[in-house]
Every structure is written in C-alpha cells, then in structure tokens.
Amino acid sequence: MKEAKPGWRELPFGAVPYKSSLEYHTGDWGVERPEFDLEKCTRCTLCHFYCPEGAISFDAGHPEVDLRYCKGCGICANECPAGAIRMVRKG
Amino acid sequence: MSKAITLKEAVKKPDLLASGHRLCAGCAEPIIARLVLKASRGAIIATTATGCLEVATTIFPYSAWRIPWIHTAFENAAATASGIEAAWRAMRRKGRGPLARYETLDIVAFAGDGGTYDIGLQALSGALERGHDFTYVLLDNEAYMNTGIQRSGGTPYCAWTTTSPAGTVIPGKREWKKPIDEIVIAHETPYVATVSPAYPLDLMQKAARAFETEGPAFIHAISPCCRGWRFPSNKTIEVARLAVETCFFPLYECRVEDGRPIYKLSPPSLAIAKRPERKKPVEEYLRIQGRFRHLFRPERREGLIERIQRWVDRRWEMLLEKADL
C-alpha cells in the first residue's frame, strides 16, 4: 500500500441536486384547475393545508392557486366546507 | 411547551417542501410532510428512506427540500437520523463544526411502510433502543407503491395488491396488518402518535410535540394512495377521514411515564369513544376503495367484511381499555 489515496477532503461530491424543484412546473399534468368563489369562501384556509402541491396560498388574504404547479387533483374542491371551490377545465 | 399552533398562524409559515415535486396528483404524502415541517421549531434536518417521497422530491438535478436533506438507503432512515444526532452532539461538545451553533435541532426521518414495517425495522428498533433524539414519521400507504403496489407488512387484510392478487380462491392479502405502533410503544418510546392528514391541526400539534420530546418520537401517518388503493384523486382526504371515523385507524397519542405507556385518544377518536353511535361501519371505508372491490363484486362476501369489522372492533376495544375509557 505505497500509493497515496485521496482523503475525504479531496473526494468529489456525490450527486447533489443543485436546482430547486420550483423550476420544474408540474401544472401541465392536470386538465382541471380550481376556481374560487370568494363570496362563499370563509377563509378557513383548509385548502392550503390539504393541497399536496402547496400551490394554494393565502398571502393576499384570500385563496390563490399557483397554476404553474397545480396538478388538478381536485382535493380542495372536494373538501371545501363552504363549497366555494369548483373544478374547471384549464386553458 | 411553545406557543399553541393555530391554522391562522400556520398558514403564514412558508412551506419547507417546495412545489414542483413529482408525486402523483392527489398524493397524501406531501400533505403530511408539509404539515410536519410546518410544526418545526427552527433548524431542521430531514432524511428519507427510499420510497415515493424520496424519489419524487429529489429527481436529479432538482430537489423540493428547502432544508438540509440526506439521502438514505431503504433500510436505515433511523440509523441516519441517529448519526445526524450524534454528529450534532459531538459538534456541540467540541464547540466547532457547522452544527455547533444550534441549541435545538429538529431531526426528522421520513419512511414509508416498506421502510418501516419490513426493511427498516431493525434500524428503527436499534435507534429507539439507543434513545436518540429524533422524530420518525411513518407515511403508511399500506404497500410498496413506489415500485408498483406490492404488499408489505402494513397492507391490511383482504387488500388487493400486485403480489397479493384477489381471485376466486384467494381474497387478496391473507395476513393482517402488523401492529407497528405497539411494537414501537414496547420499546418504551417517549412519544408515539397516530395522525391522519384529514385533521391538519391535530397533525401539526402532534408533530410539534414530537419535536419537543426528548428522545425518540414516532408518528404513524395514514397516507391514502389514489393509485394503489384505487380511488379518484380528489377523495384522498375523504378516505383518510373515513379511516378514522370507522376506527380502522384511530387517532391517539402514547407517552411513557415511569415506564408505563399512557394512552390518550385525540379529539376525532375521543368523540367516537364518548358517543359510540358515531362509529361508522368499516364497510363505508372499504367500499370507496377499488382494492377492496372483490369484497362487493361480483357478489358480496359477507364473511370477509364481517371478519374485518370484528378485527376493527376488537382493536378499538383494546385501545379503549388501554386509554382507560
């Protein structure tokens, strides 16, 4: 064992993901998108917590969907206690 | 105990699991992961065993994790979490190293049912025995969904999977679901809880308690899978709620005090315990899922449904006894 081997400091990194998935838009997966009836909406925020994509935000004080990521699963429309969300065709 | 979590406050907290991950539409796993991460106290490191959550959130070169995240093989999520904790303690002791400045560090391991019930059980058991301070989140979708719906130790009785096919002779899986919570509680784990994504506040509160617990904490989350359980993608939360309402998957917490497990039912299940007429028949839970379709079509298999109901009733009664109700 004469040959000098590199220590861990010299070894290259393994496969490290270096981009955020935010750059990958999954919005074109689904055919439907939620439409909010802001009159009926009680701002209970449940749709934000039930959204698998984290695509529904309340930053503006009312629900807003980020269509770049919404896959159109329909959970929000199915669970809205006020019946304020309905799924419509994208586009 | 830190400030109580409310939906109003939690909605303002940024998601630590970013959008753009490639889990199926209607998957429950990112819902659970987002809610757990929302309950973190500050500095947090995650590790995930092989499974849907891992492969779909970290497809090269993209990563959906906004926190330090470590890749793990299938069997050793708990061992990796132990290593993170040991490294953090060593850096604190020596006063140098990148983790030395964190007074508290939330370490969370996400694993599926395959990585917990079957492949990762020895690593989990070892980590619980050594008493490392970490939180283990079991995302139980009741089969190996990532590789194409093969049965696991967590698959319930009579469920169809590709390796337990339902036919005229064999009615799907012939074994019962492994009682993983009791296995973990038997390790005298300081904090064990079951959660359902249908109750987000309950989930976040339990995750916060798990992070605050000194020593290992175990969270068992039911994670309905629309592809593997065969239901429409918008029914995920409905199924997760029915699992609780039928007592197929009751919600409770268990703390070990003086070596004795103290069970406490959570509000959704406590309401059923107080008013048993609210308990729904398990048939409602089975009927909504295509993986149990052979119990109803072409003809109704009353005997099997009855058997599942008896199993649910027995386990529910045992839980009530343990919770002193």
Side-chain angles (χ1 to χ4, degrees), chain A residues 16-24 26 29 45-46 48-54 58 69 71 73-75 78-79, chain B residues 7 11 19-23 25-27 30-31 34-35 38 61-64 66 197-198 204 233-234 237-238 241:
Chain A
V16 178
Y18 55 87
K19 276 185 178 174
S20 168
S21 65
L22 289 172
E23 294 177 36
Y24 190 88
T26 50
W29 286 22
T45 68
L46 275 177
H48 167 78
F49 294 101
Y50 285 149
C51 178
E53 313 310 318
F58 276 77
Y69 305 111
K71 292 173 189 161
C73 64
I75 290 180
N78 199 46
E79 295 306 321
Chain B
L7 292 184
V11 74
S19 309
H21 60 74
R22 281 178 253 181
L23 287 150
C27 179
I31 308 178
R34 284 177 57 223
L35 291 171
K38 266 188 195 268
Y62 302 99
S63 170
R66 283 176 167 150
M204 285 188 284
S233 65
N234 62 348
I237 296 296
E238 213 176 303
R241 188 179 294 118

Side-chain angles (χ1 to χ4, degrees), chain A residues 10-91:
Chain A
E10 287 92 58
L11 284 174
F13 281 116
V16 178
Y18 55 87
K19 276 185 178 174
S20 168
S21 65
L22 289 172
E23 294 177 36
Y24 190 88
H25 295 171
T26 50
D28 54 359
W29 286 22
V31 287
E32 290 185 320
R33 66 175 173 84
E35 199 176 69
F36 301 97
D37 184 342
L38 295 181
E39 300 274 291
K40 277 194 197 167
C41 173
T42 60
R43 274 63 164 173
C44 71
T45 68
L46 275 177
C47 51
H48 167 78
F49 294 101
Y50 285 149
C51 178
E53 313 310 318
I56 300 176
S57 74
F58 276 77
D59 295 344
H62 57 80
E64 272 179 327
V65 64
D66 193 335
L67 290 178
R68 287 175 302 168
Y69 305 111
C70 171
K71 292 173 189 161
C73 64
I75 290 180
C76 50
N78 199 46
E79 295 306 321
C80 180
I85 308 177
R86 130 189 121 85
M87 299 304 285
V88 295
R89 261 194 102 92
K90 273 182 186 166

Side-chain angles (χ1 to χ4, degrees), chain B residues 176-196:
Chain B
W176 296 90
K177 192 177 166 82
K178 198 193 273 188
I180 191 79
D181 308 314
E182 267 114 277
I183 294 172
V184 174
I185 291 167
H187 285 75
E188 300 186 356
T189 309
Y191 185 76
V192 177
T194 59
V195 298
S196 159

